[in-house]
Amino acid sequence: MINLALSSFLLSFFVIFHITTTSSASADYHERLLLRPLPPSSLLASFNFRSNASSSSFEQQNFRYFPRSLGQILQHADTRELHLRFSLGRWDAESWGARPWGGAREGGTGVELWAWVEAGSDEEADARWLTLTNALSGLFCASLNFIDSTRTIRPVMSFQPSGNHPNSTIPNLHLLHGTLPREPVCTENLTPFLKLLPCKGKAGISSLLDGHKLFDASWQSMSIDVRPVCPEDGSECVLEIDLTVDMVLDIERSKRHRDNPIPRPRPVEELICDGSKPYAADDLCYPLDSEFDQPWSLSEVFGRPIKGSCPLTENDGEDSEAVCMNVSHEREVYTSSGAIEHKYPGGFFRCYKLIGDSEFDLVVPKSQPDVPSTPLDHPLLFAERSLTGHGQERGGVQTLLRNPSPNSAVEFVYLESLPWFMKTYLHTLRVKLSNNSTPLGEESLIKEIYYRPALDRRRGTQLEVRMLVPAASTVTLSYDFEKAVLRYTEYPPDANRGFDVAPAIIRITTPLGSPPLYIRTTSLLLALPTPDFSMPYNVIILTSTVMALAFGSIFNLLVRRFVGAEEAVKWDLGALKGKVIGLIGRVRRRRKVDTEAKVK
């Protein structure tokens, strides 16, 4: 029952995954752009860059395609496998279907980092983890140095090594995971990312990567994966680095010219009206939000064409096909002259080989009604997480897990990494099943629990639950927590905004040898008891006013001379004025005499 829907999903996912990744296993450098139209008028662009370095050359620091800056950090921190994510936005699974790469190269909102570090003890692993985060912080211009012990956990069931590690080093590998859900991802993170590529964004598909387009996307994710890979033929192992950029672009907004970035109302004659609604007059219109299946081109969506092929890529075979599309073979697609098209079996996948340094552009006109649209892979599980409760003392977290399959159950691992000021009550963990027709009871849905409680200002809460969602059912997972009161120095500058809670990570159990499937929920915004930070300023102003009044009064009493009204009348003001004028005249005459003496 569990493997029926999972097998059908993995079959379609593994075909694209195999074509886009395993074809480059033998190449030292490979890059590919995968374009997939999404409803209603969006475009998924997945940039993948892969390079290899042999183990011997890596140990000797003989870097060719592998970036030297990152390689030296991994050597210094004894990191055997690294996964780094920069993400923004929310993936709309209801409209866009399954996540790209099965969610394996997607991170939670902000920055997410996990790595396997080789160390002899937990204390040594923590020290090397601190070295790794500080070095990556400087390399990628991010706040990774803020991943301290309170934001670090050691997952037990949620992650497995994706590389081939020697049996002698596995007992000494320590998995550490950290998140920064509040980290803003911007152009400062994209620029170091492009510097890790051999062509540096000057040629090949990386020439399309522009900060204005990337960070204007509805959803975007940048990932860096480093792992050791040992070929099955027994040859020398290589260290493989995968750099991936995934973005969902709104076609209509992306086609807007950069010199006219402010959205303006369309003229009436350009509006697309909803024909299913009744109209009382001819000049009335219910405009549609966006036109389905809009025409587009690379130069319109990305603002530029591809500046030729990267000269470091392979010239023959599947590795030379740098641009691929998930559209029907019956749909017309126009490309620049010289590009070679290759259509794969299945009817919905084609690739293009770029020739030389000539610019490459791709134009997709509006599809004809009889052309089938690209089928979407439906997710195996839908997840939504939200906060419950009210007040400043206690609250709760509720996660809705929905299985759309009518006949197959889904087993997964649910991971929560909570800050220390969310004091979770494990005895309040509850599971509620919405479908009462299933023979399974609510007690049998949870298979295993791993719980590591938080310590104030030392570490956060770690909760891992292995559970099952029956077919055509919705399971509600909820628990309660208590809000801690922070010191006033622990609040951020915008304390009234709240504190970001890292997204939950869901790892769907797959058969052995299949690519992992991950789902990440949205982050939460937690409101804590916040003091009135305006009171110190009010106290300072009031205290300063009182001190000024007191000082001024005392100063006047000590310095000023007070006389009576009768004594002030006796003063001859005219005589005093004459004395002052006479004194000024004598000074002027003396200066005049001195000037004449100097002239003589």
Side-chain angles (χ1 to χ4, degrees):
M1 295 290 289
I2 299 178
N3 296 330
L4 185 59
L6 182 60
S7 300
S8 60
F9 173 80
L10 290 176
L11 181 61
S12 59
F13 168 67
F14 185 75
V15 171
I16 298 178
F17 186 86
H18 176 78
I19 293 176
T20 55
T21 59
T22 58
S23 62
S24 61
S26 59
D28 290 336
Y29 178 69
H30 169 77
E31 64 180 22
R32 175 163 290 178
L33 168 62
L34 177 61
L35 302 171
R36 184 197 306 172
L38 296 176
S41 61
S42 300
L43 176 68
L44 170 63
S46 296
F47 297 79
N48 178 249
F49 311 90
R50 173 177 295 188
S51 58
N52 302 324
S54 62
S55 300
S56 58
S57 61
F58 180 79
E59 294 174 358
Q60 298 172 4
Q61 295 192 6
N62 184 16
F63 301 100
R64 187 184 178 192
Y65 298 121
F66 198 97
R68 177 183 295 272
S69 57
L70 182 60
Q72 292 178 343
I73 292 176
L74 299 179
Q75 290 179 342
H76 183 68
D78 288 330
T79 303
R80 301 297 174 244
E81 188 172 330
L82 173 72
H83 303 275
L84 179 60
R85 304 287 186 267
F86 298 90
S87 301
L88 275 180
R90 171 183 171 270
W91 177 267
D92 187 3
E94 297 284 349
S95 302
W96 302 336
R99 288 165 165 79
W101 313 102
R105 300 182 185 179
E106 170 191 345
T109 305
V111 178
E112 183 178 347
L113 171 67
W114 69 96
W116 277 266
V117 179
E118 185 176 1
S121 61
D122 291 343
E123 292 76 13
E124 185 179 0
D126 292 336
R128 292 179 177 178
W129 171 257
L130 183 62
T131 301
L132 177 65
T133 54
N134 281 274
L136 293 177
S137 176
L139 179 62
F140 292 100
C141 299
S143 304
L144 290 167
N145 55 313
F146 285 94
I147 300 181
D148 52 7
S149 61
T150 62
R151 296 181 174 92
T152 301
I153 60 174
R154 296 173 180 267
V156 177
M157 300 181 291
S158 301
F159 296 97
Q160 298 295 331
S162 59
N164 305 119
H165 300 277
N167 295 330
S168 58
T169 62
I170 290 180
N172 295 327
L173 291 181
H174 297 259
L175 171 61
L176 296 102
H177 179 277
T179 56
L180 287 175
R182 191 171 180 160
E183 179 72 10
V185 184
C186 59
T187 310
E188 294 180 353
N189 310 123
L190 177 62
T191 302
F193 184 92
L194 294 177
K195 291 182 179 179
L196 300 179
L197 303 176
C199 288
K200 313 293 183 184
K202 305 298 182 182
I205 62 174
S206 61
S207 60
L208 294 179
L209 292 175
D210 178 58
H212 296 86
K213 297 295 183 179
L214 176 61
F215 299 107
D216 189 48
S218 304
W219 174 85
Q220 64 92 6
S221 176
M222 296 189 300
S223 66
I224 300 172
D225 300 279
V226 181
R227 60 170 187 164
V229 177
C230 297
E232 297 179 357
D233 56 3
S235 57
E236 184 182 8
C237 298
V238 298
L239 191 66
E240 180 183 271
I241 178 172
D242 253 319
L243 298 101
T244 307
V245 178
D246 297 315
M247 66 179 82
V248 175
L249 300 170
D250 184 271
I251 295 178
E252 183 178 358
R253 188 170 70 244
S254 299
K255 290 167 62 174
R256 188 185 304 149
H257 296 289
R258 187 177 298 180
D259 56 353
N260 186 22
I262 301 176
R264 291 179 173 84
R266 278 184 174 186
V268 179
E269 59 272 9
E270 295 182 6
L271 292 177
I272 302 175
C273 303
D274 189 358
S276 62
K277 296 182 179 297
Y279 297 98
D282 296 335
D283 57 347
L284 298 180
C285 178
Y286 292 95
L288 295 174
D289 293 336
S290 57
E291 182 183 3
F292 180 74
D293 197 12
Q294 295 188 26
W296 56 274
S297 65
L298 288 180
S299 57
E300 289 179 337
V301 173
F302 293 97
R304 67 187 72 167
I306 298 178
K307 299 179 181 178
S309 62
C310 181
L312 302 178
T313 57
E314 296 290 332
N315 296 324
D316 299 321
E318 295 179 353
D319 294 340
S320 61
E321 299 172 350
V323 180
C324 296
M325 290 187 63
N326 271 131
V327 295
S328 174
H329 288 178
E330 302 177 9
R331 185 167 185 177
E332 295 181 354
V333 177
Y334 304 101
T335 61
S336 302
S337 59
I340 301 176
E341 184 183 39
H342 178 203
K343 295 183 178 180
Y344 284 83
F348 291 95
F349 194 80
R350 67 178 75 180
C351 292
Y352 298 92
K353 177 182 177 181
L354 309 186
I355 304 299
D357 299 334
S358 59
E359 292 186 348
F360 174 82
D361 197 3
L362 185 144
V363 180
V364 181
K366 186 175 179 60
S367 178
Q368 300 298 325
D370 56 344
V371 176
S373 58
T374 305
L376 295 177
D377 295 328
H378 298 286
L380 297 177
L381 188 71
F382 292 92
E384 298 179 4
R385 190 175 64 148
S386 59
L387 290 172
T388 59
H390 57 85
Q392 298 293 327
E393 186 178 0
R394 293 181 178 87
V397 175
Q398 175 180 277
T399 305
L400 299 178
L401 304 163
R402 181 170 63 90
N403 181 8
S405 175
N407 49 19
S408 300
V410 177
E411 184 177 350
F412 58 92
V413 177
Y414 181 86
L415 170 64
E416 286 269 24
S417 177
L418 304 175
W420 64 267
F421 44 79
M422 289 180 63
K423 300 182 181 298
T424 307
Y425 297 131
L426 186 61
H427 72 279
T428 62
L429 183 65
R430 297 177 298 273
V431 176
K432 182 181 178 181
L433 184 62
S434 63
N435 186 5
N436 297 326
S437 62
T438 177
L440 296 176
E442 296 180 352
E443 302 81 9
S444 60
L445 298 181
I446 296 181
K447 306 295 183 181
E448 186 179 355
I449 296 179
Y450 178 84
Y451 176 69
R452 191 185 187 201
L455 297 177
D456 288 353
R457 298 175 178 85
R458 292 178 57 187
R459 74 182 186 199
T461 301
Q462 177 182 344
L463 175 63
E464 291 184 85
V465 181
R466 184 184 298 274
M467 58 185 301
L468 182 74
V469 177
S473 302
T474 300
V475 173
T476 302
L477 178 68
S478 61
Y479 57 87
D480 299 333
F481 64 88
E482 182 181 353
K483 303 178 183 180
V485 179
L486 305 181
R487 300 167 182 164
Y488 79 95
T489 56
E490 295 173 339
Y491 286 91
D494 51 347
N496 292 289
R497 174 185 176 272
F499 291 79
D500 293 88
V501 180
I505 302 174
I506 300 174
R507 178 177 178 266
I508 299 177
T509 304
T510 56
L512 185 63
S514 301
L517 300 178
Y518 286 93
I519 298 176
R520 284 170 172 81
T521 65
T522 55
S523 59
L524 300 177
L525 192 61
L526 177 66
L528 291 181
T530 306
D532 186 3
F533 286 100
S534 65
M535 287 304 297
Y537 300 100
N538 297 337
V539 172
I540 291 173
I541 293 173
L542 179 61
T543 305
S544 301
T545 304
V546 172
M547 291 183 62
L549 292 176
F551 176 80
S553 302
I554 297 175
F555 183 81
N556 289 334
L557 290 174
L558 296 176
V559 176
R560 284 189 177 182
R561 179 184 177 187
F562 295 90
V563 297
E566 298 81 2
E567 185 178 356
V569 175
K570 297 179 181 180
W571 285 37
D572 189 359
L573 297 179
L576 180 60
K577 180 179 179 181
K579 292 181 179 180
V580 172
I581 295 176
L583 180 61
I584 294 174
R586 288 197 298 270
V587 172
R588 288 180 177 177
R589 287 193 297 271
R590 183 176 299 176
R591 288 183 178 179
K592 183 178 180 181
V593 171
D594 294 341
T595 302
E596 292 176 353
K598 290 180 180 180
V599 172
K600 293 180 179 180

